[in-house]
Amino acid sequence: SVERPSIKEGFRALLTNKPVLRSLLARVLGGFSISAGNGQQDYFIDVLGSATLLTAVNVPSGFVGSASYALVQPLRRRYSSKALWVFEDIYTRVIWIAVFLLGLPNKNYQKRVFMGVLFGLQAFFEKAVFGVRKVINTELNNEAMDYCEWKNGYRVEATTSVVINLVTKIQEVIMRSVRLLLLNKIGYRPGIAVGTQSERTKLWMFALCTGVPVITGALAVVPKFFYPLSGAMRTQMYNELHDRRGETVRAMTGDE
């Protein structure tokens, strides 16, 4: 249709768009992840005593993020978008849990060299799925809009974007207040000399930039298991859309 759909139709299409609702729910649940202020930066400054170290440990893995795009095509030939979406999320969380567990014994989280190497390895392995994360998220968004066209005959990119941004901004305001309360609860004192935070505060700062965000945001994985556009349904959708779009083109151009 060349007519603009009504606002009511747009929201109805959004509420009945299962892929969008699954993606939105995953984003909302992941948004409840609790971290400390500036996360890693505060930890590197107030516990390890060096903000520069955070930049340095990420340099060796810089090329991995770009190289990871080479993995996307062979992985997509073998696995569905849904499977890669779930795998990327769980894989990243497992890496952060490993960092958290390795940092606890003997107060390793306060040892600059040890944690520098550990965070460097974390960055290397996490960036190995950087390309998959970027491509799959974009592909799933496109699939959700195609699903709306398949079910309703029109697309709702603008409506979807507005709703997602609104929900995200409201959640960010709430979680910002939660983080400030949490920092106060663990005894964090901003602006004091480097390394003079209490032992309890240092431990919590380490936990809040490694294990705690991963655990508190873990429910974000659940909706991804129920992403509907996979296998036969996805194939059927694109076959029907292909035929329907072909008919529209022929009707507009007058071709037989």
Side-chain angles (χ1 to χ4, degrees):
S1 172
V2 295
E3 297 179 0
R4 182 180 63 183
S6 68
I7 295 176
K8 181 179 179 180
E9 288 176 334
F11 277 99
R12 181 181 65 81
L14 178 62
L15 292 174
T16 57
N17 192 326
K18 295 178 181 178
V20 166
L21 291 179
R22 300 295 191 280
S23 299
L24 179 59
L25 184 57
R27 182 175 300 197
V28 169
L29 292 175
F32 287 115
S33 174
I34 299 175
S35 59
N38 295 319
Q40 291 183 37
Q41 183 175 346
D42 287 342
Y43 165 70
F44 271 77
I45 293 174
D46 290 298
V47 179
L48 298 183
S50 175
T52 306
L53 181 60
L54 177 58
T55 302
V57 299
N58 281 281
V59 170
S61 62
F63 74 95
V64 180
S66 298
S68 66
Y69 281 94
L71 298 175
V72 176
Q73 187 172 351
L75 287 174
R76 287 180 74 250
R77 282 199 297 263
R78 185 165 185 176
Y79 303 103
S80 67
S81 299
K82 172 184 174 179
L84 292 175
W85 194 29
V86 172
F87 166 76
E88 177 274 320
D89 192 325
I90 296 177
Y91 172 84
T92 302
R93 293 179 189 279
V94 168
I95 291 175
W96 277 113
I97 290 295
V99 172
F100 174 65
L101 294 177
L102 290 172
L104 291 177
N106 303 314
K107 294 185 179 180
N108 286 333
Y109 62 88
Q110 295 190 40
K111 300 174 182 178
R112 184 181 297 184
V113 175
F114 181 88
M115 294 309 300
V117 173
L118 190 57
F119 270 86
L121 290 172
Q122 173 275 321
F124 182 91
F125 286 107
E126 182 178 351
K127 287 177 182 175
V129 297
F130 177 82
V132 172
R133 181 184 303 128
K134 290 295 183 180
V135 172
I136 293 302
N137 283 336
T138 301
E139 183 176 279
L140 292 175
N141 180 67
N142 292 335
E143 285 184 2
M145 295 305 101
D146 289 333
Y147 181 89
C148 179
E149 181 185 348
W150 181 42
K151 290 295 185 180
N152 302 291
Y154 54 84
R155 303 167 74 87
V156 288
E157 282 98 335
T159 304
T160 302
S161 177
V162 168
V163 172
I164 290 177
N165 288 337
L166 178 61
V167 171
T168 301
K169 289 183 183 299
I170 293 174
Q171 189 177 39
E172 285 177 352
V173 172
I174 296 173
M175 295 308 298
R176 192 177 299 121
S177 299
V178 171
R179 292 185 185 103
L180 290 174
L181 290 172
L182 185 59
L183 286 174
N184 182 63
K185 188 71 175 177
I186 66 174
Y188 177 72
R189 294 177 294 163
I192 64 175
V194 173
T196 57
Q197 301 286 349
S198 70
E199 291 296 311
R200 173 175 175 270
T201 302
K202 290 178 180 179
L203 173 59
W204 271 106
M205 290 184 70
F206 168 67
L208 287 169
C209 76
T210 54
V212 173
V214 170
I215 295 171
T216 54
L219 285 177
V221 182
V222 176
K224 298 181 179 183
F225 283 100
F226 299 95
Y227 181 75
L229 278 178
S230 186
M233 178 182 286
R234 186 179 185 276
T235 300
Q236 179 188 358
M237 180 183 78
Y238 279 113
N239 286 338
E240 293 183 9
L241 282 175
H242 179 270
D243 294 339
R244 190 186 304 171
R245 289 165 179 171
E247 292 174 1
T248 301
V249 170
R250 287 191 293 272
M252 294 177 66
T253 60
D255 295 336
E256 295 296 333

